Amino acid sequence: MKKFISLALFFISVSVFSQIKGKVISIKDGDTVVVLLAGNTQQTLRLAEVDCPESSQAFGKNAKAYTGSQVFGKTVTFYTVGKDRYGRSVAGVFYDNDKYLSREIVKAGFGWWYFKASKNTELQKLQDEAKQKKLGLWADRNPVSPWDFRKAKNKKKTTPAKSKSTGAKAVK
């Protein structure tokens, strides 16, 4: 029985933590890429431990361009750590002799360390260094984190407009 349990745990750990290779065929934004796997299947990967500016946000296009310059067209190795609320695989992505993509993005100043989902304090240190050197988005006088940007954008969508004449809420 112990052998059976040990064997089962081994196969579970191998399948959960196995590394997969794929070619990056699309960059959706600074922290989301699409890879082509064996069998011509595509998988969308949300990068683990980093949150880049939204496409419509300051430095969003820069973050996408930076990510593309690092991995577009390259074969990468990744391991999934879970799924996000949109069903995308959250993954650690490695390229060019084991460079960790999330680390490189934070180091270059094109993304925030996503501390809500990461315990990797090295990324905090790299973020602080990028901030001090005013790299990437840290050149902005008042950079807004993507989570604050999304929150403000959602708040605008849900706040009812007021009528100019009476101050009453408009009906949509």
Side-chain angles (χ1 to χ4, degrees):
M1 184 65 167
K2 284 184 181 181
K3 284 184 181 180
F4 174 75
I5 292 172
S6 296
L7 194 57
L9 289 173
F10 171 77
F11 284 113
I12 290 170
S13 66
V14 167
S15 66
V16 170
F17 297 110
S18 63
Q19 295 182 349
I20 303 167
K21 289 187 185 250
K23 182 177 181 177
V24 177
I25 59 169
S26 177
I27 309 295
K28 290 194 170 190
D29 58 30
D31 54 31
T32 309
V33 300
V34 179
V35 293
L36 184 64
L37 306 173
N40 278 343
T41 58
Q42 296 181 15
Q43 187 169 357
T44 300
L45 305 176
R46 168 65 172 81
L47 302 179
E49 302 187 301
V50 66
D51 201 0
C52 291
E54 298 294 316
S55 298
S56 60
Q57 186 179 357
F59 290 93
K61 289 182 175 87
N62 304 73
K64 180 179 179 178
Y66 179 80
T67 298
S69 75
Q70 297 303 296
V71 296
F72 183 76
K74 294 182 180 180
T75 298
V76 298
T77 302
F78 67 92
Y79 65 91
T80 57
V81 295
K83 296 267 187 191
D84 69 5
R85 63 183 172 175
Y86 304 109
R88 301 176 295 188
S89 296
V90 178
V93 176
F94 296 85
Y95 67 105
D96 291 350
N97 299 317
D98 292 330
K99 283 186 180 177
Y100 180 41
L101 183 54
S102 296
R103 180 185 189 280
E104 299 302 317
I105 290 170
V106 171
K107 182 179 174 183
F110 290 109
W112 274 259
W113 169 50
Y114 196 51
F115 61 88
K116 295 176 185 179
S118 170
K119 293 181 177 148
N120 185 349
T121 56
E122 178 200 10
L123 296 177
Q124 171 69 62
K125 292 174 187 165
L126 291 170
Q127 178 175 294
D128 291 343
E129 289 172 14
K131 195 185 279 190
Q132 185 179 27
K133 295 175 184 175
K134 298 190 183 311
L135 298 176
L137 62 89
W138 301 112
D140 194 330
R141 287 161 78 174
N142 188 24
V144 176
S145 68
W147 51 88
D148 287 337
F149 180 81
R150 289 187 294 267
K151 189 176 180 182
K153 191 174 176 182
N154 288 338
K155 198 173 193 177
K156 284 181 186 176
K157 284 182 183 177
T158 59
T159 304
K162 290 190 176 183
S163 169
K164 289 182 183 177
S165 59
T166 64
K169 292 182 182 177
V171 178
K172 291 187 180 182

